[in-house]
Amino acid sequence: MSPRKENLSLDSAYFVAFEMTHHALKRALKEASSLSITQYRMLVKLASSDDPIGQSSLASMLELRPNVVTQCINALEEQRFARRGGFEADGRAKSVEATKEGIAHVATVNESIVAQLYTLFPTQDAAWRAILETSIAAGAFIDPPISERETSCYPASRALASLERFRSAIEAGLREACGASYSECRVMQLLGEQGRPLRIGDIAAQLRLSPVNVARAVDRLVARSWARRMGSPRDRKAVFVDATDCGRAQQAVIARTVDTLGRDLLWKHLRRTQRDAIRAVTRTVIEGLRESEQAEKHIEPDELIALP
């Protein structure tokens, strides 16, 4: 079955799992290395390559501006993780390769990243471990490997690089499609899935965002006329959020944008088993947690009244 014929929608549960994994990976990098995520992405690419890579090729692979590539290489050279050289055919063309110290550093950081993932997800059961390991391997293929050797090198680190690239693309794609921020779109996506008003606190809990960040996103959505605040006579302290007609039209734009980016940047790079593993992690870890937390919190929409 082709990716386009499967149900590959990226719902709010997926983005919760995505953000949890992304934060865990970045936290592991910070604990194990002084490199920025962009510098580390470059070092992973260099350490996974059989041959030196041209600076222009690095810019294309990592979707970075030439000046950013130069800055990253300078930083890697300062720490002796990489070195520049010239192509034999053209001494002016600069290539870059990882040093032994750089390769060893990637191996160390990769172990830290794996440890963080095993801490984040329950892996006491063999089936859980298998799902996690398959999803890590799948994540590594979001950014297509440049060599046969790279397909087996540092999958957790490559997953970090892939998720960073994917998140940046989602954020930019949503901003271009509807003008809203990533957080605003996540709130609208959840409201669309639930089909009813939700408390700000419940939105924060379900999306794993702070109530302050959700409240700020709601302020912007109300200003855009995409959402409205509502209250309940039974619970005067609670503030609910509901999508307006204008907001529901934007929910459709958000859904189309997310699914298109998902197909182009994520699913098409993965085999069916890898796609299944990513969905399994989302379903079992996130949706089960969400259901247990929200089972006792429910109010009918007709019990709500509009707030001024």
Side-chain angles (χ1 to χ4, degrees):
M1 183 182 295
S2 71
R4 290 187 177 275
K5 292 181 180 179
E6 293 179 55
N7 180 14
L8 299 179
S9 297
L10 298 180
D11 61 10
S12 61
Y14 167 82
F15 281 106
V16 170
F18 174 86
E19 287 298 315
M20 289 175 64
T21 305
H22 188 229
H23 288 319
L25 294 171
K26 291 176 67 175
R27 184 168 58 249
L29 173 62
K30 186 175 181 179
E31 292 176 356
S33 177
S34 61
L35 298 178
S36 70
I37 190 167
T38 302
Q39 293 164 358
Y40 186 66
R41 285 176 61 205
M42 181 176 293
L43 182 58
V44 170
K45 188 66 72 175
L46 294 171
S48 303
S49 176
D50 295 317
D51 302 301
I53 304 174
Q55 289 188 206
S56 60
S57 296
L58 276 174
S60 177
M61 291 174 189
L62 301 174
E63 299 179 346
L64 299 174
R65 296 189 302 274
N67 66 310
V68 176
V69 171
T70 299
Q71 292 167 6
C72 288
I73 295 172
N74 290 343
L76 294 176
E77 280 196 316
E78 286 177 7
Q79 300 201 44
R80 299 182 180 179
F81 290 157
R83 57 173 168 258
R84 286 181 172 93
F87 289 126
E88 292 183 5
D90 184 355
R92 295 172 300 173
K94 294 296 183 180
S95 63
V96 191
E97 62 182 343
T99 62
K100 290 182 178 179
E101 292 88 343
I103 294 172
H105 188 68
V106 172
T108 298
V109 176
N110 192 72
E111 290 181 3
S112 173
I113 291 173
V114 171
Q116 279 284 358
L117 289 174
Y118 274 77
T119 300
L120 176 63
F121 294 105
T123 54
Q124 299 86 351
D125 182 89
W128 283 96
R129 287 196 301 274
I131 288 173
L132 175 60
E133 289 162 3
T134 304
S135 66
I136 292 172
F141 276 83
I142 297 171
D143 183 17
I146 61 174
S147 68
E148 185 65 28
R149 180 171 175 267
E150 190 182 0
T151 62
S152 59
C153 286
Y154 323 116
S157 291
R158 288 171 49 226
L160 167 59
S162 294
L163 294 186
E164 182 72 11
R165 174 175 175 264
F166 184 62
R167 192 191 191 284
S168 297
I170 287 285
E171 189 169 356
L174 288 170
R175 181 75 71 178
E176 181 179 354
C178 63
S181 70
Y182 181 58
S183 297
E184 291 170 60
C185 290
R186 291 187 65 198
V187 171
M188 293 303 296
Q189 182 185 43
L190 179 62
L191 289 172
E193 291 169 1
Q194 296 290 320
R196 59 185 175 85
L198 296 174
R199 296 177 179 87
I200 286 181
D202 291 345
I203 294 172
Q206 292 194 48
L207 296 181
R208 295 296 185 273
L209 296 172
S210 73
V212 171
N213 286 340
V214 170
R216 289 172 179 168
V218 169
D219 287 343
R220 296 192 295 269
L221 292 170
V222 170
R224 294 177 186 276
S225 299
W226 291 10
R228 58 177 177 169
R229 296 184 185 86
M230 304 187 76
S232 168
R234 286 172 31 196
D235 185 357
R236 297 187 180 278
K237 293 183 179 180
V239 176
F240 290 76
V241 183
D242 191 21
T244 62
D245 289 341
C246 178
R248 279 185 277 277
Q250 292 300 323
Q251 284 169 338
V253 174
I254 292 168
R256 286 196 302 271
T257 302
V258 166
D259 288 344
T260 298
L261 289 169
R263 285 194 300 269
D264 293 344
L265 300 176
L266 174 64
W267 303 121
K268 79 174 185 180
H269 297 300
L270 306 178
R271 298 188 300 272
R272 177 66 181 272
T273 55
Q274 294 172 323
R275 296 193 293 268
D276 289 344
I278 289 179
R279 286 198 296 266
V281 167
T282 301
R283 182 176 62 254
T284 54
V285 176
I286 304 304
E287 291 187 351
L289 182 60
R290 175 182 292 177
E291 289 174 5
S292 65
E293 291 178 344
Q294 298 301 318
E296 298 180 358
K297 297 179 180 180
H298 179 71
I299 190 168
E300 294 298 327
D302 56 9
E303 297 181 40
L304 300 176
I305 56 174
L307 293 177

